Amino acid sequence: MSARRGWLLAAMLALLAGGFCRPAAAQTSELVARLSTERVAITTAFVGESILVFGSTEQPLGPGGDEVVVMARGPSAPFVVRRKVRVIGLWLNGPSARFAAVPSFYAIAGTRPPWQLLPEEARHQRGIGIDSIPLEFTGARAPGFRRALVELKRNSNLWQEDPSPIEIAGSRLFNFRLHLPSTVQPGTYNVEVMLVRARRVVATEQLGFVVERTGSAAEIEKVARGQPVIYALLCILAAAFAGWAGSVVFRRG
């Protein structure tokens, strides 16, 4: 048994003991869920992170029984999508659409694809699925701008839909690995775990974690935000030094 599987088994057994070995009178929740960590540190060597979402249910999971859906969202920010146009052989910025609040990260997964578990109306009400993310925008109104935004986010792995099914163990235990790419933004992330029964959400758990820059990465970000001119000059000097050092090395070679 690998160390990862051993840790997962121990965590899930502890959760099972805490959730189901209590007196019946004190047990009121049909769903218990936890995260393997509540803090992700971005350093200069950060290449991404994986967070384990795990939990247990009172009723058996799987086809014919209860199902679980996990939805994660990162902080929202404005986002501009521009269309390139060709003018006299040059590519220039053309029409654009400004989206007011775009999740910097979004992931959705289920024990089965969520669109199979919930009616379309219920999915749109809760924002379950990339097609259900509310995206209001101004500027050019062509639907192609929304498609372009979705494609950009998907290609950068910042928006994930059904990356892998939620795993079930022992009929009542579940786990799912939430993968954060290296380009993930700092901020507070919300994770909602939903228990689905007969095509209805009957219980939810609200979880969360924080992504923050630490060490030299935090200092670099502080300079970039507080003193952009100095930051730009430092970048130029660093690029010039790298070019000079490279020329010296190759000249010697």
Side-chain angles (χ1 to χ4, degrees), residues 3 7 9 19 28-29 46 59 65 73 90 127 138 179 224:
W7 182 92
L9 179 60
T28 59
S29 178
F46 183 73
Q59 303 298 324
R73 281 176 175 267
L90 300 175
T138 57
H179 295 286

Side-chain angles (χ1 to χ4, degrees), residues 20-243:
F20 291 109
C21 293
R22 292 175 297 175
Q27 183 176 332
T28 59
S29 178
E30 295 185 276
L31 172 68
V32 179
R34 296 292 183 269
L35 300 177
S36 58
T37 183
E38 295 181 352
R39 180 179 177 273
V40 174
I42 298 179
T43 65
T44 52
F46 183 73
V47 294
E49 184 62 276
S50 178
I51 295 179
L52 181 68
V53 185
F54 61 98
S56 60
T57 61
E58 285 188 337
Q59 303 298 324
L61 294 167
D66 288 352
E67 307 276 2
V68 172
V69 173
V70 173
M71 180 171 64
R73 281 176 175 267
S76 295
F79 196 93
V80 177
V81 177
R82 292 185 174 88
R83 178 184 295 165
K84 295 291 185 179
V85 295
R86 194 167 186 175
V87 179
I88 317 178
L90 300 175
W91 288 102
L92 303 175
N93 289 332
S96 64
R98 179 181 176 84
F99 293 82
V102 176
S104 60
F105 178 82
Y106 179 90
I108 186 75
T111 45
R112 284 191 292 152
W115 61 267
Q116 295 181 3
L117 303 178
L118 293 165
E120 184 175 356
E121 182 180 358
R123 287 197 308 106
H124 285 303
Q125 287 177 349
R126 290 179 171 268
I128 297 175
I130 290 178
D131 63 327
S132 299
I133 299 176
L135 294 173
E136 298 182 359
F137 62 95
T138 57
R141 306 302 299 178
F145 287 95
R146 180 188 172 104
R147 290 196 298 269
L149 171 62
V150 172
E151 184 177 356
L152 286 170
K153 292 294 188 178
R154 278 182 176 272
N155 290 343
S156 59
N157 206 31
L158 289 170
W159 285 8
Q160 307 166 16
E161 189 163 30
D162 297 324
S164 61
I166 295 175
E167 296 183 4
I168 301 173
S171 79
R172 288 180 173 84
L173 303 176
F174 63 88
N175 71 89
F176 169 70
R177 286 207 167 268
L178 182 64
H179 295 286
L180 304 177
S182 59
T183 52
V184 70
Q185 296 298 306
T188 300
Y189 287 66
N190 300 313
V191 179
E192 184 176 8
V193 183
M194 292 165 273
L195 181 66
V196 179
R197 180 181 301 152
R199 295 177 63 79
R200 292 176 54 249
V201 176
V202 296
T204 62
E205 278 271 20
Q206 300 289 341
L207 310 172
F209 61 94
V210 174
V211 176
E212 58 184 0
R213 298 189 190 277
T214 60
S216 56
E219 295 301 322
I220 292 172
E221 182 185 30
K222 186 185 298 183
V223 173
R225 289 182 179 275
Q227 304 180 54
V229 175
I230 294 178
Y231 176 75
L233 290 174
L234 290 175
C235 289
I236 294 172
L237 291 174
F241 176 79

